[in-house]
C-alpha cells in the first residue's frame, strides 16, 4: 500500500504545478461553480490518460517531431488566447447570485479542459520525462497487473487534485464579494493570455528559428 500511495502522490505532484488548467479551473469555478470547474479538470484528465497511453505504447516520439511540436504550440496558443479573452469579457457579468449552470454547456467546458491539456507540449515533456521513467522502472520490477495498478494510482492522484481545485474555486464564489471575484477572474484570464502568448512565441521560434 505504501508503494500505491507513493504513486497517488506522484499524480498529485504532476497536477499541482500552476499552469493553464489550474487557472481555467479557478476561473470556471468562480463563474459557474464546482461542477464546471471539475469538468475542466476531467477534460484535462482525459488528455493526461491519452498521453499516458502514448508513453505506454511508445508512440510519444511522433509527438516530438518538429511539425507536431509547432502544431501543438500553435493550437495551444489559440485555445489559451480564446479562453483568456472569453474570461475577461465575461468577468464584468460576474455576480454571486447568477445561475451557476448557464455560463456554458457541460460539453464545452469538458472539451476546453481537454484541449488545454492536449495542446500543451509541456504536458508531453512532463509525461515523457516523469511517467516514462517511472514506467520503465516499474516494468523492470513488476508484472503487467502491477503496472496497471500503479498507473491507476497516478490517475487517482490527478482526480484528487482536480476535485480539490474545483472545491477551492467554487468556495471562492460563495465566500468572496463580487468585486473580488471579478478581480480574480480577470487575473485568471490574463494568466491564460500570458500562457497563450508564450505558446505562440514557442511556435514562432520553431517556424522561424534564429540563425
Amino acid at each position: 500500500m505504501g508503494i500505491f500511495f507513493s504513486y497517488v502522490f506522484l499524480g498529485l505532484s504532476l497536477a499541482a504545478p500552476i499552469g493553464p488548467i489550474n487557472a481555467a479551473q479557478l476561473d470556471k469555478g468562480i463563474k459557474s461553480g464546482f461542477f464546471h470547474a471539475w469538468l475542466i479538470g476531467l477534460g484535462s484528465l482525459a488528455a493526461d490518460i491519452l498521453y499516458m497511453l502514448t508513453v505506454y505504447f511508445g508512440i510519444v516520439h511522433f509527438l516530438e517531431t518538429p511539425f507536431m511540436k509547432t502544431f501543438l504550440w500553435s493550437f495551444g496558443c489559440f485555445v489559451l488566447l480564446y479562453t483568456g479573452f472569453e474570461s475577461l469579457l465575461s468577468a464584468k457579468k460576474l455576480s454571486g447570485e447568477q445561475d451557476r449552470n448557464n455560463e456554458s454547456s457541460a460539453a464545452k467546458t469538458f472539451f476546453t479542459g481537454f484541449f488545454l491539456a492536449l495542446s500543451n507540449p509541456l504536458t508531453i515533456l512532463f509525461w515523457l520525462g516523469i511517467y516514462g521513467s517511472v514506467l520503465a522502472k516499474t516494468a523492470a520490477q513488476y508484472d503487467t497487473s502491477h503496472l496497471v495498478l500503479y498507473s491507476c494510482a497516478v490517475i487517482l492522484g490527478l482526480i484528487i487534485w482536480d476535485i480539490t481545485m474545483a472545491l477551492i474555486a467554487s468556495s471562492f464564489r460563495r465566500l468572496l464579494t463580487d468585486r473580488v471575484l471579478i478581480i480574480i477572474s480577470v487575473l485568471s484570464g490574463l494568466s491564460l493570455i500570458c500562457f497563450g502568448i508564450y505558446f505562440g512565441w514557442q511556435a514562432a521560434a520553431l517556424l522561424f528559428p534564429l540563425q
Side-chain angles (χ1 to χ4, degrees):
M1 288 302 293
I3 298 176
F4 180 84
F5 283 114
S6 70
Y7 281 89
V8 173
F9 182 75
L10 174 62
L12 287 168
S13 302
L14 289 170
I18 299 300
I21 299 299
N22 288 341
Q25 277 191 292
L26 184 62
D27 178 68
K28 189 59 69 174
I30 288 173
K31 291 194 174 85
S32 305
F34 171 84
F35 179 67
H36 283 262
W38 179 68
L39 282 177
I40 290 283
L42 197 63
S44 172
L45 176 65
D48 287 337
I49 292 174
L50 183 61
Y51 279 134
M52 288 177 72
L53 292 174
T54 63
V55 173
Y56 180 79
F57 290 109
I59 59 176
V60 73
H61 298 293
F62 168 71
L63 300 174
E64 295 184 298
T65 61
F67 171 78
M68 283 304 299
K69 280 186 176 181
T70 304
F71 172 76
L72 288 171
W73 283 120
S74 301
F75 186 62
C77 174
F78 168 76
V79 173
L80 285 165
L81 290 177
Y82 174 81
T83 307
F85 281 114
E86 183 183 50
S87 174
L88 291 180
L89 292 174
S90 59
K92 61 183 179 181
K93 304 175 185 177
L94 186 61
S95 171
E97 301 300 324
Q98 69 187 54
D99 181 17
R100 297 179 181 181
N101 297 319
N102 63 8
E103 286 292 322
S104 59
S105 69
K108 179 183 177 182
T109 303
F110 173 86
F111 282 109
T112 296
F114 179 76
F115 286 122
L116 280 175
L118 189 69
S119 61
N120 187 352
L122 299 178
T123 304
I124 302 172
L125 296 176
F126 225 55
W127 284 109
L128 180 62
I130 298 177
Y131 180 72
S133 60
V134 170
L135 185 71
K137 179 182 177 181
T138 306
Q141 295 180 338
Y142 303 99
D143 56 21
T144 303
S145 61
H146 283 84
L147 198 63
V148 173
L149 176 65
Y150 295 146
S151 295
C152 289
V154 173
I155 294 173
L156 178 60
L158 295 172
I159 292 173
I160 292 172
W161 179 260
D162 290 337
I163 293 175
T164 302
M165 277 298 298
L167 284 171
I168 292 172
S170 57
S171 296
F172 281 168
R173 180 185 178 89
R174 293 191 297 270
L175 299 175
L176 302 179
T177 65
D178 288 348
R179 180 179 178 82
V180 176
L181 292 178
I182 290 173
I183 292 173
I184 295 175
S185 182
V186 168
L187 291 176
S188 298
L190 289 175
S191 68
L192 290 170
I193 292 173
C194 289
F195 280 117
I197 293 172
Y198 172 74
F199 278 35
W201 179 267
Q202 294 296 323
L206 287 172
L207 285 172
F208 309 105
L210 296 176
Q211 301 297 328

